[in-house]
Amino acid sequence: MVSMVQSPDSEYYSPETRIILITPPPFSEAARKANLEARDPPIALDRTSENTRKYADAVIELGKELN
């Protein structure tokens, strides 16, 4: 996606476009699990702190590469 606006060869190229990378917000895995399980019908946990951390780290690394 980044190369779509940064590569002069792309039809979406825009040298003025700024890219904002956003990491996921912190959350309580235990509270989210309890909330989802309390629903009718119950819903399985859809995210974990570990996966959220991996995603956040990847966003931070990409930001460092692009800066």
Side-chain angles (χ1 to χ4, degrees), residues 2-15:
V2 172
S3 65
M4 287 175 58
V5 294
Q6 287 189 334
S7 173
D9 297 330
S10 171
E11 65 181 288
Y12 303 104
Y13 176 62
S14 174

Side-chain angles (χ1 to χ4, degrees), residues 11-58:
E11 65 181 288
Y12 303 104
Y13 176 62
S14 174
E16 296 84 26
T17 298
R18 298 280 187 219
I19 299 172
I20 299 172
L21 302 173
I22 302 173
T23 59
F27 75 103
S28 169
E29 187 172 331
R32 177 135 181 102
K33 182 177 180 185
N35 177 278
L36 293 174
E37 288 176 346
R39 296 181 185 192
D40 186 21
I43 301 172
L45 184 62
D46 58 352
R47 67 184 79 160
T48 64
S49 296
E50 180 182 350
N51 282 342
T52 301
R53 168 53 56 198
K54 288 178 184 177
Y55 182 86
D57 289 344

